[in-house]
Amino acid sequence: MFGISLAFSVHYLRNQAKRACGMSRMGKCEVCSECVAKYKCPKCLVASCSLKCVKQHKSANDCSGLRDKTAFVEIKQFDDRNLLNDYRFLEDAGRKKDNTTRDELKRKREKPNFLRELHKQAKRRKIDLQIMPYPMDKRKNNATTYNFRSQTILWQIKWIFPKSDGCYTDTRVTEKSIFKYLLKKYIDPTESDPVYRQKLKEYTKKGIDECNLYMKVEGHPANDLRYYMLDKDKSILDNLEGITVVEYPIIYVEFGDCSQYTLMEKGTNG
């Protein structure tokens, strides 16, 4: 027990000696010239002994007390502390750049003209089109637009084939397109792309006529999902009328047992 106490005392005295040595190297306080200096101003390196002297120094010399992050340091004086300071400086610069980008994203929350027109045209077609804030992935990746020349909405459509783990996206699809003709690209035995046909061979074997199309009802909780059954013999416009669409339609293509899709009729509250 005595040995431990003695070792602790030696360790304590050594630390005190190191501190005293550090203080002596700084010399006396350059403000009051009375006490041993304990602190050094990060900006102008003036040594001080107390909070009172620090404040007095800042007031007398109009000093902010902030280190000059871009001050020149000779290579022979460059040490780990300078390296850490430079690293923090770069971190601060990156943070400020990120904040500037965020401000730009805030400004983009105001819908541009083409989005306001798209929303207006969807409303005329009795489609409740919900447009998300710009930073959201679904907004940034949506290519749906209104074509003034043809006066039609060109939709982006995401197809999900659950039984084959397939997920594909079509862009600039005119609202007059019939769903079953759009599906030919993926699961028609002769007209489909060979790559899609191989990936979706279970669907190709069944054929388009055996497949059903479902679209999730927006606004329902995750534990009580509802779906609309779409008519593949009708156009996109006819199918989306009276439906809420968040950015673009996401359509599930299924065949066989579809009991997991609890259906809901258009115009009902579920």
Side-chain angles (χ1 to χ4, degrees):
M1 189 71 178
F2 176 75
I4 296 174
S5 177
L6 180 61
F8 176 79
S9 298
V10 171
H11 180 71
Y12 176 77
L13 291 173
R14 282 178 179 172
N15 284 340
Q16 289 296 98
K18 287 180 181 179
R19 290 183 182 178
C21 182
M23 291 178 184
S24 63
R25 279 201 298 266
M26 291 176 65
K28 283 191 175 184
C29 174
E30 296 179 37
V31 181
C32 67
S33 302
E34 295 178 0
C35 302
V36 177
K38 298 179 182 179
Y39 315 108
K40 188 170 283 189
C41 177
K43 183 176 182 181
C44 51
L45 304 180
V46 170
S48 55
C49 64
S50 62
L51 180 59
K52 179 182 177 181
C53 286
V54 170
K55 290 182 177 179
Q56 186 177 338
H57 157 68
K58 287 183 177 180
S59 176
N61 297 280
D62 193 23
C63 176
S64 64
L66 297 176
R67 179 179 62 85
D68 184 0
K69 298 178 182 179
T70 59
F72 175 73
V73 179
E74 292 185 8
I75 191 66
K76 61 183 180 182
Q77 296 177 343
F78 197 87
D79 55 16
D80 290 343
R81 183 172 59 84
N82 298 118
L83 178 63
L84 181 60
N85 289 338
D86 286 351
Y87 176 76
R88 288 173 177 168
F89 173 73
L90 293 174
E91 275 193 327
D92 289 341
R95 193 177 300 112
K96 288 180 180 178
K97 179 180 179 296
D98 182 60
N99 290 340
T100 303
T101 306
R102 290 175 183 272
D103 290 341
E104 183 181 349
L105 295 179
K106 287 178 183 177
R107 290 194 294 272
K108 286 187 178 181
R109 287 178 183 172
E110 292 295 327
K111 294 185 181 68
N113 291 335
F114 80 93
L115 275 183
R116 286 199 290 268
E117 184 64 29
L118 174 62
H119 187 268
K120 182 175 73 174
Q121 294 296 334
K123 189 175 181 180
R124 285 182 179 178
R125 291 159 172 76
K126 299 180 181 178
I127 300 171
D128 180 19
L129 178 61
Q130 300 292 319
I131 298 175
M132 304 178 76
Y134 175 76
M136 305 296 287
D137 286 339
K138 205 170 182 181
R139 166 87 297 271
K140 290 192 291 185
N141 298 326
N142 186 11
T144 300
T145 187
Y146 177 72
N147 187 285
F148 286 91
R149 181 174 295 180
S150 62
Q151 296 187 347
T152 57
I153 294 179
L154 303 179
W155 287 97
Q156 174 170 308
I157 298 178
K158 183 175 182 180
W159 303 95
I160 297 179
F161 298 84
K163 286 185 170 59
S164 297
D165 292 326
C167 181
Y168 305 99
T169 300
D170 287 335
T171 58
R172 300 187 66 81
V173 182
T174 175
E175 62 188 352
K176 298 177 183 177
S177 300
I178 307 298
F179 276 133
K180 69 177 182 181
Y181 297 135
L182 294 175
L183 282 172
K184 284 187 175 184
K185 170 183 174 181
Y186 297 102
I187 58 176
D188 188 88
T190 56
E191 297 182 31
S192 61
D193 185 297
V195 177
Y196 297 145
R197 192 186 312 158
Q198 176 61 27
K199 173 71 175 177
L200 306 172
K201 55 187 176 183
E202 291 186 57
Y203 289 87
T204 304
K205 290 177 183 177
K206 285 292 181 180
I208 296 175
D209 291 337
E210 294 295 321
C211 292
N212 295 319
L213 306 182
Y214 301 93
M215 185 172 165
K216 190 182 298 182
V217 178
E218 299 294 342
H220 269 256
N223 61 352
D224 186 31
L225 294 178
R226 295 286 189 274
Y227 294 85
Y228 297 118
M229 178 181 280
L230 306 179
D231 190 339
K232 56 180 175 286
D233 293 314
K234 290 186 178 181
S235 67
I236 299 173
L237 175 60
D238 291 336
N239 274 286
L240 297 186
E241 182 179 337
I243 287 179
T244 297
V245 179
V246 178
E247 291 290 346
Y248 53 84
I250 299 176
I251 299 173
Y252 295 82
V253 185
E254 283 281 15
F255 63 81
D257 181 21
C258 300
S259 57
Q260 70 271 31
Y261 296 94
T262 305
L263 299 181
M264 178 173 148
E265 294 291 330
K266 288 185 184 180
T268 62
N269 296 321

